[in-house]
Amino acid sequence: MEKAITEPVSRDLPNSARLWLARQQSTVRPFLIGVVIAGLVNALAFICLAGLLATVIQRTLIDGQALSAQSGPAIGLIVAVAVRAISQAAQERFGQLASARVRQRVRSELLDEWAVQGPVQLAGRASATLANHWVEQVEALDGYFARYLPQQWLALLVPLTILAVVFWLDWLAALFLLIAAPLIPLFMALIGMSAERLSQQHVHEAGRLAGHFLDRVRSLTSLQLFGQVEQASAGVTHAAERYRAVTMRTLRVAFLSSAVLEFFASVAIAVVAMYIGFGLLGYIDFGPSPQLTLFSGLFVLLLAPEFFQPLRNLAQHYHDRAAALGAADALVGLSPAVDSEQTYRRVVSMSPRTDHVTVDRVKVGYSGRSAVLEDVSFSISRGDVVALVGPSGSGKSTLLSCLAGFIQPQAGHITLFGQAPGAEPVAWLGQRPFLIKGSWADNLRLIAPDADIAAMLTAVEAVGLKDVVAAQPHGLATPLGEGGRGLSGGQAQRLALARVWLIDAELVLLDEPTASLDPNSEAEVIEALLALARSGRTILIATHHPAIVAIANRTLRLHAGRLVDE
Ligand code: ADP
Ligand code: MG
């Protein structure tokens, strides 16, 4: 009970996470370059804006020109503002595109990987973890690709551009900026290091608190029986208190770091402003200061805050990087070691079609166990209805998983009408039907998204559920609970069986479809199976039930992983 649900986040993320991020980055490089270019255009437009503004003010106040005589700079100002707006939008848009591409790609990689692993291997992983990877971890990559990565470049290029302009105007002012600039990244890095450690601790504590609390709530009955409620609530209080302390420390560092950043930026800008002020008043006789004009002074002053802005933005997006690294660490193990597409294509090999399902000297073993199937060979013809019988644990489900392509045999060869398993859809029904929360129609459309009402009614009729549907208040649109709540076991199993009628899978694999049913429901399902058997499909049913064996025109008997007789 004491064990925390989450493992502590490792402090030194392995290089593989960084490499994985770099690999993702290389796929969206054009978009990232687009963001950087748009950001640069934005900065150049600002420089023009500041220059034009300083020109107008210089001409009006010092040179005594009328405002109306300055239509040229005025038009320039409007153009600069428009360019700025457009480039900002473009920057945002390219960033979103890059991030969306990456997330889409990662999700499709995950899907491919899961498809290759198949339900048998995936059964070893908690579905909550899979869902968390699919949704949250992938989403955590957003800020990194949309903002942080391009900002890394902009934080270098934009200050350099501004510095060049300021240098041209007044090299002493540029020198002030140049001295102040590295201080910011330096202090950010110092604070950032401890912030990173703290934010990992924060994530860790949050996970621990959640696990702790969930454990206590789950075992509330036992706690009450043993009179441990007081201690348990004290434990939760203690864990929450620790979480509070870490949160406060994280916040303190976050506030401190932005305060340091603001402080240095303000000091640097103030120094530049002071220099320009005294220079304009003629108090400074050093270097370029006697040549300062209102134009050059104002121009420099307007540019100074913009010089620090990209660095501040970078600091703001710094946590995006930490989040993405954390997510990458979780996702990197899931990305296929071998190219998943390759694995998939290997399965989808083109070969001439035949009329047989052949299993040739197939051997299967789960890791750390002796072989579950040994030297199994048989062939069935199109349209055969085959019963697969044998004691529990003899390998029936394993054989069906091989035929479905969920498991790769260690030796031997399987072809389904000339194709490799997994190349074409097969229909599968296990002991418990897979029904989702949704209407009858939703459940049927799960595997045949384009099925129309008429086809669904035909399918429902074929499994003997027509009267049941007719008795529902909204027919096929009547909602069902999760796992088919609201239906009897036999009805749920027949609803799942109705899906087989909606797809044109040639091979139908049924794994003990009546095993968890009462006699009445069993009879209903067997009735539906009989109709399926007459439909001309090739059907392989693992079963113990004599009535189902009677439907079949062939029987394969497995014993301890070997085919004993027919
Ligand atoms: P049946 O369906 O005939 O009852 P199975 O094919 O489910 O038999 O199982 C055959 C043998 O393989 C059993 O001894 C079972 O313990 C083992 N087995 C099944 N699935 C796994 C698995 N995922 N990991 C390890 N062993 C397994
Ligand atoms: Mg089984």
Side-chain angles (χ1 to χ4, degrees):
M1 218 158 70
E2 274 305 319
K3 270 198 101 180
I5 280 182
T6 47
E7 292 292 308
V9 184
S10 68
R11 285 195 182 159
D12 303 306
L13 290 169
N15 249 344
S16 52
R18 287 173 221 283
L19 284 177
W20 185 87
L21 280 180
R23 187 165 67 83
Q24 301 302 334
Q25 183 188 337
S26 66
T27 63
V28 288
R29 186 152 293 139
F31 293 108
L32 295 176
I33 293 174
V35 182
V36 174
I37 291 176
L40 271 181
V41 170
N42 184 22
L44 291 177
F46 181 81
I47 294 173
C48 293
L49 192 76
L52 288 169
L53 206 61
T55 310
V56 171
I57 292 173
Q58 158 90 23
R59 286 193 191 162
T60 315
L61 293 186
I62 308 291
D63 305 343
Q65 291 183 13
L67 262 179
S68 51
Q70 302 181 41
S71 52
I75 291 171
L77 272 177
I78 293 169
V79 172
V81 169
V83 169
R84 229 167 115 75
I86 293 168
S87 60
Q88 255 165 14
Q91 192 178 348
E92 186 73 14
R93 182 104 189 96
F94 278 128
Q96 288 305 328
L97 278 176
S99 151
R101 282 280 164 105
V102 167
R103 283 177 288 151
Q104 199 174 13
R105 212 185 108 90
V106 171
R107 287 210 169 101
S108 81
E109 268 183 16
L110 278 181
L111 269 191
D112 282 350
E113 175 61 10
W114 292 345
V116 167
Q117 287 196 356
V120 174
Q121 280 182 53
L122 278 186
R125 300 238 297 272
S127 39
T129 313
L130 294 180
N132 173 271
H133 285 143
W134 170 260
V135 182
E136 272 158 51
Q137 305 289 2
V138 174
E139 219 45 44
L141 299 173
D142 177 39
Y144 180 74
F145 287 99
R147 294 183 294 268
Y148 179 80
L149 268 183
Q151 194 60 42
Q152 242 182 346
W153 282 99
L154 288 176
L156 184 71
L157 294 176
V158 173
L160 278 182
T161 314
I162 291 178
L163 198 67
V165 176
V166 175
F167 194 83
W168 165 69
L169 289 167
D170 188 311
W171 61 262
L172 202 56
L175 199 65
F176 288 134
L177 291 182
L178 192 61
I179 292 171
L183 286 179
I184 292 174
L186 181 74
F187 277 89
M188 284 314 295
L190 285 179
I191 295 167
M193 273 186 265
S194 68
E196 194 165 347
R197 216 187 50 235
L198 269 179
S199 74
Q200 280 175 6
Q201 203 180 348
H202 186 241
V203 172
H204 175 45
E205 280 297 332
R208 263 179 72 152
L209 180 63
H212 192 96
F213 190 63
L214 192 64
D215 267 352
R216 299 303 180 277
V217 171
R218 272 196 189 137
S219 46
L220 206 55
T221 326
S222 320
L223 288 174
Q224 246 164 8
L225 285 176
F226 294 107
Q228 294 292 312
V229 176
E230 294 269 293
Q231 272 95 323
S233 63
V236 171
T237 311
H238 183 70
E241 178 60 27
R242 236 183 6 202
Y243 180 60
R244 187 197 65 79
V246 174
T247 306
M248 289 314 287
R249 244 181 300 158
T250 318
L251 282 180
R252 208 150 48 216
V253 170
F255 282 125
L256 182 68
S257 60
S258 57
V260 167
L261 191 67
E262 297 297 316
F263 175 75
F264 278 104
S266 314
V267 166
I269 295 168
V271 168
V272 171
M274 253 161 48
Y275 161 74
I276 289 170
F278 286 124
L280 282 179
L281 288 172
Y283 292 167
I284 305 176
D285 255 341
F286 179 76
S289 14
Q291 280 96 53
L292 264 178
T293 59
L294 183 61
F295 163 74
S296 62
L298 202 59
F299 198 0
V300 170
L301 208 54
L302 285 173
L303 287 182
E306 200 65 12
F307 176 79
F308 294 105
Q309 196 54 47
L311 291 169
R312 290 154 80 166
N313 288 348
L314 185 68
Q316 234 174 38
H317 302 323
Y318 194 73
H319 67 270
D320 286 334
R321 177 176 170 273
L325 272 175
D329 194 37
L331 292 171
V332 72
L334 307 180
S335 298
V338 276
D339 194 342
S340 67
E341 264 167 51
Q342 238 175 33
T343 326
Y344 219 65
R345 297 286 168 267
R346 178 168 54 86
V347 169
V348 190
S349 58
M350 290 303 287
S351 25
R353 303 191 60 84
T354 67
D355 274 337
H356 299 279
V357 172
T358 61
V359 173
D360 186 24
R361 292 185 303 258
V362 161
K363 179 183 172 192
V364 178
Y366 294 102
S367 56
R369 288 187 40 128
S370 57
V372 172
L373 290 179
E374 188 89 70
D375 205 22
V376 172
S377 303
F378 60 88
S379 165
I380 51 186
S381 313
R382 195 186 289 274
D384 271 352
V385 177
V386 181
L388 185 61
V389 297
S392 180
S394 57
K396 302 184 296 294
S397 300
T398 306
L399 181 57
L400 292 183
S401 296
C402 286
L403 285 167
F406 300 157
I407 302 178
Q408 302 293 332
Q410 281 147 343
H413 197 64
I414 297 177
T415 61
L416 311 179
F417 309 115
Q419 310 283 306
E424 279 181 15
V426 295
W428 170 282
L429 184 64
Q431 289 185 14
R432 269 176 214 87
F434 176 68
L435 296 178
I436 56 165
K437 187 174 158 47
S439 66
W440 286 63
D442 292 337
N443 272 291
L444 289 171
R445 286 205 183 101
L446 205 58
I447 54 159
D450 303 322
D452 56 15
I453 296 290
M456 286 194 277
L457 284 175
T458 315
V460 163
E461 190 177 351
V463 293
L465 283 176
K466 193 182 175 197
D467 298 339
V468 183
V469 171
Q472 300 293 320
H474 306 291
L476 284 175
T478 312
L480 290 174
E482 206 171 66
R485 210 152 298 157
L487 294 180
S488 77
Q491 288 168 346
Q493 192 67 317
R494 280 185 289 158
L495 177 57
L497 199 60
R499 292 175 180 148
V500 177
W501 295 89
L502 287 175
I503 57 165
D504 40 281
E506 285 172 287
L507 183 63
V508 181
L509 304 172
L510 306 168
D511 192 359
E512 312 203 25
T514 58
S516 59
L517 301 177
D518 59 278
N520 263 344
S521 305
E522 215 172 62
E524 290 168 2
V525 172
I526 291 172
E527 192 70 23
L529 287 177
L530 200 60
L532 188 68
R534 291 203 202 96
S535 71
R537 285 163 215 254
T538 313
I539 306 173
L540 199 64
I541 317 174
T543 187
H544 291 292
H545 206 286
I548 298 181
V549 178
I551 297 175
N553 52 14
R554 271 180 72 186
T555 305
L556 295 174
R557 193 172 300 277
L558 270 176
H559 192 271
R562 285 174 185 276
L563 214 52
V564 283
D565 70 322
E566 290 215 8

